[in-house]
Amino acid sequence: MHPKFSRSLALVCFAISLTAHAQSSLQSGGDFSNSPQPNALPSDVILVKGAWSSASDSVTPVPELGRVANNVFSNQYFGLTYAISPDWTEKYSGPPPSDSGYYVLAQIRLAGTSNGTRRGSILIAAQDLFFTLTPAGNALELIDYDKESLNADYKVEQPPTLVRIANHSFVRFDYGSPVAELHWHVLATQIRCHMVQFVLTSRDTKLVESLIQEMSKMTLPAEAGPISGRGGGEVPVCIKDYARGENVLERVDPVFGERRFNPAPVRIIIDKQGKVKHIHFLSAFPDQVKAITDALFQWRFRPCLRDGKPVEVETGIMFGRAPRPAILPASQAVSE
Amino acid sequence: MKTTKLASVVAILAALFFTGMAFAQTDPGVRSNTGVNAGQPFASVTASPNDLAFFQTGLAQFNEHQTVTGDNPGLGPRFNLDSCGACHSQPAPGGTSPASGIFPNVGPNPQSQVIANGVVNSNTNTIPYFVFANGPVREARFPFFFDQFGNPNPNAPNGGVEDLFTVSGRTDAGSCSLPQPSFNTARATNNIIFRIPTPTFGTGLMANIDDSTLLANHAAQANNRLGVGGAFNHNGNDGTISRFGWKAQNKSLMIFAGEAYNVEMGISNELFTQDRPLPGEDQLGSGLPPSCLNLAGIGYPEDITHSDGTTASTVTSDVGLFNTFMQFLDQPTPSTTSPGGATSITNGRRLFSAIGCALCHTPSLTTQASKLTLGLGNATANLFSDIEIHHMGAGLADNVSQGGAGGDQFRTAPLWGLGQRIFFLHDGRTANLLGAIEAHQSNGSEATQVEENFDLLSPSQQQDLLNFLRSL
């Protein structure tokens, strides 16, 4: 290329880039705009999210995506359906999962004000047992802990007791507040290493008992039970701290561009070959999601065997600020 | 006969109406029969002549009105008001938004008086549409930058403070000519949010709660059955828990004071050393025009530590004095009898805990040892806050991110002194306590279930709870 031509070309490119820069500057109205017909932002929408939940694909079910439709609460991740009476509705969706693995799956309440005495609410929630801050290893222990830590505002009405609902074992715990004249009835079971709980609140214990009766129509996976729910069958087995020690054959640490201080709990599904198949972020910023995703898809695990056959495994890893399980370097894991 | 029948019906309806009224719960309003119960220094400060002198100098500086030039220089070129104490004045200096017709009748919203008081020139400034004489002091933010068509661009988050006024046209502002931000366009595009001043009573105690105490409280509340999560905002420099501001975005009172002096009043200082352009002026790459820089003619920063001072309080910078004043402000004193009587307040307090309000509005936390003054050390801070940020849902979301807090996350507002506050929630959208409680539930809020529990209470129980809150 002729030097003169290339200089001209460079100048033209520079001029275009300047124009482009000027236009991009002008494109921002900054703090000043007098456009007569602007488009308005929607109201009551959360557009700027902080640490939030997300997943590496939109096909694999995740806990927070349950919903109430046609008077049935269904949650594909937990394999759960629960028919609610027509006069009960979900008015507000819950918050995103907390960074200690607490989910609000549905908040259902008796529609209308009725006569003021037969009102109540149903909170369906879940606690990821991999990330709970409570010293408990299963749903039964969690409910026992609840009972032991109940403060003086409440009175135990029925200590944690095993009951059968819809042919599955639950732990039931009732307590009340004399001053508020409210009663809480907690029914909890364990599915995929989560405590799944139904918290029924009302002044009217008969109303609650009728709700409990109606729960017999609920459908649950075979694994459901206050201790037993550890996956398996059609879903991966869930194993706490599987991503540690000799199970980790190859590990790549995420490279974070920004220094952050939040816990970033992650659930992963490892396929039968030991590769990461799915990543679910309970709570993480988008830049953390990208860095962790890029790293985790390079991890390799020792395949998990059950009865001599490889199975898919679901486990949890805590990235970020919170204390996380010690993960041995890949070199050490391989040498063992 | 017909008249008699009609009269009977009216009488029955009236009886039903007034019966309903008798059971209907109402916000008792600002507590006015117990005097002003906030704004005093700790007893340990009063007992120390040096500390008291520091506090009083800080108070005087807090209430001082700044000008562009002169004895109290540095105002502008953009600002929301000219004095800390003008915004933080209800029910006493250090508090929050005042009102003229509500106890203790501090005065109208001072932002509504800036033209009348000669703080701004009416030829170059107008009072924004959201400022009213009987409304709250407000700062405005545009969650997103506008594009060239005047549309807010959701891919360009802004969220910085858009100062309401400029010094343009003031006799001490020279040729500095600055327009006010496009508040009306922002309104038309739903691209504007507001914040009201946070009260500073007891904030020295909040500053002196160790992170370990906050973390232990968080862990103790984590296994609740009410839908509450919670997280902390952190200081980007050292990673510790930050705690001041509506989103707990500020680590310390000194930073809080330094930022406010710069952002709200336009006074550069040793923490924020330049005059501040609007976010858009920064984004456009222009910054402030030269004609609007160094208007005081004293160089930067405009507020400094005075090496020629003769006492601690005359050496200290304005920001240092604000910091000392706030640190030494004791927590408000609640009433045990008003409103509603002791029994109602006691009952309300128990209900507050029983239905789950206390999960986030932690009644008290203990401070660590203090080198500053005895009153701050190993003390019970009755703040009614866990200092955590919580998702408050789409109904309250302002789509402004600060530190680790997202668009719908807010610090649990400390409730001490609530009984003598006028405006509620981050933007002062309501002066009715019931309205503030109801706003706790919306899509995505952690507080929906607790609010639902409030709805399950009987009217008289709700009244007890409201009385308790207004006793604080």
Side-chain angles (χ1 to χ4, degrees):
Chain A
M1 194 181 289
H2 193 279
K4 202 170 180 181
F5 177 71
S6 58
R7 270 203 304 274
S8 301
L9 187 64
L11 276 172
V12 169
C13 290
F14 180 57
I16 290 170
S17 74
L18 274 182
T19 311
H21 178 71
Q23 282 177 343
S24 73
S25 293
L26 287 172
Q27 278 175 357
S28 169
D31 312 283
F32 310 104
S33 174
N34 294 303
S35 177
Q37 291 180 314
N39 296 321
L41 292 169
S43 295
D44 293 342
V45 177
I46 303 167
L47 296 169
V48 176
K49 294 178 177 177
W52 208 268
S53 60
S54 62
S56 60
D57 67 78
S58 57
V59 178
T60 310
V62 290
E64 64 267 31
L65 290 187
R67 66 194 193 113
V68 177
N70 301 321
N71 284 100
V72 176
F73 168 74
S74 58
N75 187 298
Q76 200 181 347
Y77 177 88
F78 290 116
L80 177 68
T81 65
Y82 169 45
I84 52 178
S85 299
D87 49 348
W88 290 75
T89 59
E90 182 183 44
K91 188 169 182 185
Y92 298 115
S93 59
S98 78
D99 58 25
S100 58
Y102 181 61
Y103 295 83
V104 173
L105 303 178
Q107 301 170 114
I108 302 164
R109 61 184 182 182
L110 194 53
T113 55
S114 190
N115 61 3
T117 56
R118 280 182 61 85
R119 301 172 68 207
S121 68
I122 304 168
L123 168 68
I124 308 176
Q127 172 62 55
D128 190 322
L129 293 165
F130 295 160
F131 302 115
T132 177
L133 299 175
T134 305
N138 56 52
L140 183 60
E141 289 178 4
L142 262 181
I143 296 296
D144 278 340
Y145 183 87
D146 283 352
K147 186 243 174 187
E148 295 304 321
S149 57
L150 206 63
N151 71 37
D153 297 312
Y154 307 104
K155 183 181 167 192
V156 173
E157 293 174 344
Q158 178 176 314
T161 309
L162 291 178
V163 296
R164 296 288 291 177
I165 293 176
N167 295 319
H168 289 274
S169 184
F170 279 70
V171 56
R172 174 175 173 172
F173 171 41
D174 299 351
Y175 60 96
S177 160
V179 66
E181 300 171 89
L182 289 175
H183 305 273
W184 283 269
H185 302 250
V186 182
L187 292 142
T189 191
Q190 184 174 313
I191 304 170
R192 296 181 74 166
C193 297
H194 293 79
M195 176 182 70
V196 177
Q197 64 177 2
F198 297 76
V199 183
L200 316 176
T201 309
S202 181
R203 306 170 78 85
D204 181 350
T205 52
K206 285 182 182 170
L207 171 70
V208 174
E209 289 302 335
S210 69
L211 288 172
I212 294 172
Q213 291 298 318
E214 289 174 9
M215 289 174 76
S216 62
K217 291 176 276 186
M218 192 158 49
T219 61
L220 296 141
E223 61 165 302
I227 301 172
S228 61
R230 299 182 187 281
E234 293 181 358
V235 300
V237 295
C238 49
I239 302 174
K240 188 176 184 180
D241 298 337
Y242 188 80
R244 297 177 77 173
E246 63 184 12
N247 292 327
V248 184
L249 303 178
E250 290 180 38
R251 177 188 159 192
V252 176
D253 284 324
V255 179
F256 296 109
E258 193 166 340
R259 193 167 164 239
R260 295 194 181 275
F261 305 96
N262 59 304
V266 175
R267 269 212 176 206
I268 59 172
I269 296 176
I270 303 164
D271 70 14
K272 293 175 184 175
Q273 287 74 45
K275 294 180 181 174
V276 174
K277 178 183 171 184
H278 169 75
I279 307 168
H280 176 220
F281 294 88
L282 282 69
S283 176
F285 288 93
D287 55 306
Q288 293 176 312
V289 168
K290 181 169 187 328
I292 294 168
T293 301
D294 288 347
L296 276 176
F297 277 129
Q298 298 180 66
W299 288 34
R300 293 294 177 267
F301 295 88
R302 177 171 294 178
C304 179
L305 302 178
R306 285 287 159 93
D307 300 325
K309 293 180 181 173
V311 294
E312 290 188 340
V313 183
E314 186 172 16
T315 192
I317 307 173
M318 179 65 87
F319 291 94
R321 185 67 180 274
R324 57 177 177 172
I327 302 171
L328 292 177
S331 56
Q332 262 183 280
V334 171
S335 65
E336 286 175 354
Chain B
M1 186 69 179
K2 228 175 195 176
T3 309
T4 312
K5 207 170 189 178
L6 183 65
S8 306
V9 170
V10 169
I12 290 167
L13 284 174
L16 283 172
F17 175 75
F18 286 112
T19 306
M21 288 284 282
F23 287 107
Q25 63 289 0
T26 55
D27 176 2
V30 171
R31 195 174 72 247
S32 60
N33 59 350
T34 58
V36 172
N37 305 122
Q40 297 302 309
F42 289 100
S44 59
V45 170
T46 306
S48 160
N50 286 339
D51 285 350
L52 187 60
F54 230 144
F55 176 82
Q56 287 172 335
T57 309
L59 169 61
Q61 192 63 50
F62 195 82
N63 282 331
E64 188 175 272
H65 290 265
Q66 305 297 129
T67 48
V68 179
T69 59
D71 289 343
N72 307 312
L75 181 71
R78 296 182 181 281
F79 60 97
N80 282 324
L81 210 58
D82 61 344
S83 159
C84 306
C87 297
H88 293 274
S89 57
Q90 171 69 21
T96 179
S97 265
S100 54
I102 299 175
F103 180 83
N105 309 99
V106 174
N109 175 1
Q111 288 177 322
S112 70
Q113 307 298 309
V114 289
I115 292 175
N117 292 340
V119 179
V120 303
N121 186 313
S122 63
N123 294 323
T124 51
N125 285 265
T126 56
I127 306 293
Y129 72 89
F130 49 83
V131 171
F132 306 100
N134 58 355
V137 168
R138 280 175 158 162
E139 67 164 31
R141 296 167 187 253
F142 299 166
F144 304 99
F145 288 108
F146 295 108
D147 64 17
Q148 77 272 34
F149 305 112
N151 301 313
N153 178 2
N155 295 316
N158 176 350
V161 173
E162 305 285 338
D163 289 294
L164 272 52
F165 307 113
T166 80
V167 298
S168 302
R170 280 177 61 119
T171 54
D172 56 0
S175 60
C176 173
S177 176
L178 292 171
Q180 290 172 282
S182 303
F183 294 121
N184 290 328
T185 302
R187 177 194 203 181
T189 54
N190 195 28
N191 187 31
I192 185 167
I193 64 95
F194 307 110
R195 301 268 178 88
I196 66 171
T198 53
T200 65
F201 308 126
T203 46
L205 293 165
M206 287 171 62
N208 200 34
I209 298 167
D210 190 68
D211 282 13
S212 59
T213 302
L214 300 175
L215 291 164
N217 183 56
H218 174 69
Q221 308 292 358
N223 194 38
N224 64 80
R225 293 159 296 283
L226 293 166
V228 175
F232 291 103
N233 207 342
H234 292 90
N235 173 41
N237 288 325
D238 66 357
T240 56
I241 294 170
S242 54
R243 48 197 77 193
F244 298 108
W246 281 104
K247 299 212 174 199
Q249 70 274 20
N250 283 321
K251 171 63 190 172
S252 70
L253 288 171
M254 186 74 94
I255 291 174
F256 182 75
E259 187 200 351
Y261 213 23
N262 188 241
V263 173
E264 313 295 348
M265 295 168 66
I267 298 178
S268 57
N269 54 74
E270 289 163 319
L271 285 89
F272 295 84
T273 49
Q274 278 78 42
D275 270 330
R276 176 183 177 270
L278 294 177
E281 289 169 330
D282 246 5
Q283 196 217 28
L284 287 167
S286 62
L288 287 163
S291 60
C292 294
L293 294 173
N294 195 23
L295 290 174
I298 56 174
Y300 290 101
E302 290 151 331
D303 168 43
I304 57 168
T305 303
H306 308 283
S307 60
D308 56 350
T310 53
T311 63
S313 57
T314 55
V315 166
T316 307
S317 66
D318 293 355
V319 166
L321 289 168
F322 302 150
N323 174 53
T324 301
F325 167 66
M326 291 187 288
Q327 278 179 324
F328 284 172
L329 270 175
D330 201 352
Q331 56 188 312
T333 309
S335 170
T336 55
T337 56
S338 177
T343 303
S344 175
I345 290 170
T346 303
N347 207 39
R349 183 174 184 128
R350 291 172 65 204
L351 288 163
F352 180 84
S353 180
I355 66 169
C357 307
L359 267 177
C360 303
H361 291 284
T362 306
S364 62
L365 292 166
T366 304
T367 66
Q368 58 194 340
S370 173
K371 193 178 178 183
L372 282 168
T373 186
L374 201 61
L376 281 170
N378 303 311
T380 302
N382 300 311
L383 71 172
F384 291 93
S385 173
D386 54 10
I387 314 186
E388 294 177 33
I389 50 173
H390 293 273
H391 292 282
M392 295 309 296
L396 284 173
D398 66 2
N399 285 316
V400 172
S401 174
Q402 291 181 281
D408 73 324
Q409 286 173 293
F410 291 90
R411 179 190 68 169
T412 305
L415 300 183
W416 49 13
L418 185 76
Q420 297 191 323
R421 283 184 219 165
I422 298 169
F423 304 104
F424 300 119
L425 302 172
H426 64 277
D427 51 9
R429 68 178 67 181
T430 181
N432 187 312
L433 202 46
L434 263 177
I437 292 170
E438 285 164 6
H440 279 59
Q441 64 176 352
S442 67
N443 281 324
S445 171
E446 294 178 28
T448 293
Q449 197 62 31
V450 173
E451 207 286 334
E452 185 68 20
N453 287 345
F454 177 79
D455 290 345
L456 292 174
L457 297 177
S458 70
S460 67
Q461 288 172 322
Q462 292 183 352
Q463 188 63 58
D464 287 345
L465 205 154
L466 293 171
N467 288 343
F468 159 67
L469 290 171
R470 281 298 193 180
S471 77
L472 296 176

